[in-house]
Structures are given as structure tokens and as C-alpha cells.
Amino acid sequence: MQCSFDNWYPDEASAFEDWQDEIDERGWILLDDPMPYCQHDALLPIRVKGRNVNQPQWGKLEIYSNGEWKDYFPERRNRNET
């Protein structure tokens, strides 16, 4: 899952005010920083293929799964094809 846009807030209070209705009784869910070269807007460890060797292949993604990097096709994810 990737985002389609970003929101910027000058401080935490402004973000909280804007998202108050979306926060449940557990509050904010903290996420770890992404792995090196991975997308910051994805919850899964996904990166642009080749970015780690300074040769990005824009439009091609890979995901870290079971200890190795594999080609990632988000449009196939819903059909259980990986």
C-alpha cells in the first residue's frame, strides 16, 4: 500500500486535531523507521529496484520477504499472486 499524497503539519497538535476522528482508544500506533532505501509511505519493506546500488529502476519495486528481496507487483497482491 502506498500513499497518493502527503499532509504536512507544523506540529503534533495540528496533526492530532486534523485526525482526531480517526484515532481509536489505543491512540497513535508508532511504526519503526523503514529499512534502508525503503519507501517511507509503505507499511511493508518495499523499495525501488536498484536504489540500493544507486541505479534505481523507477516503476519497478521489490519487497523484503523471508530474508530476501523479491520483485513486487502491487496489482497482483489482491489475487494472491506473488
Side-chain angles (χ1 to χ4, degrees):
M1 168 192 240
Q2 292 178 280
C3 75
S4 56
F5 64 92
D6 291 330
N7 285 333
W8 180 86
Y9 299 97
D11 52 49
E12 185 177 338
S14 297
F16 187 78
E17 180 181 323
D18 196 25
W19 290 93
Q20 179 65 38
D21 294 337
E22 303 296 325
I23 301 169
D24 65 15
E25 63 280 349
R26 295 176 296 156
W28 293 102
I29 299 171
L30 299 178
L31 302 174
D32 292 332
D33 286 337
M35 293 172 64
Y37 306 103
C38 285
Q39 303 296 108
H40 285 251
D41 60 354
L43 299 176
L44 302 172
I46 297 171
R47 68 182 182 191
V48 171
K49 193 170 190 171
R51 193 171 218 173
N52 60 315
V53 292
N54 205 25
Q55 295 179 349
Q57 299 176 37
W58 304 113
K60 294 183 179 181
L61 301 173
E62 51 188 7
I63 187 167
Y64 192 74
S65 177
N66 296 323
E68 64 181 320
W69 289 99
K70 300 176 182 179
D71 289 339
Y72 179 65
F73 305 98
E75 66 276 2
R76 293 184 186 172
R77 187 149 175 82
N78 291 334
R79 292 184 274 155
N80 295 321
E81 299 173 22
T82 54

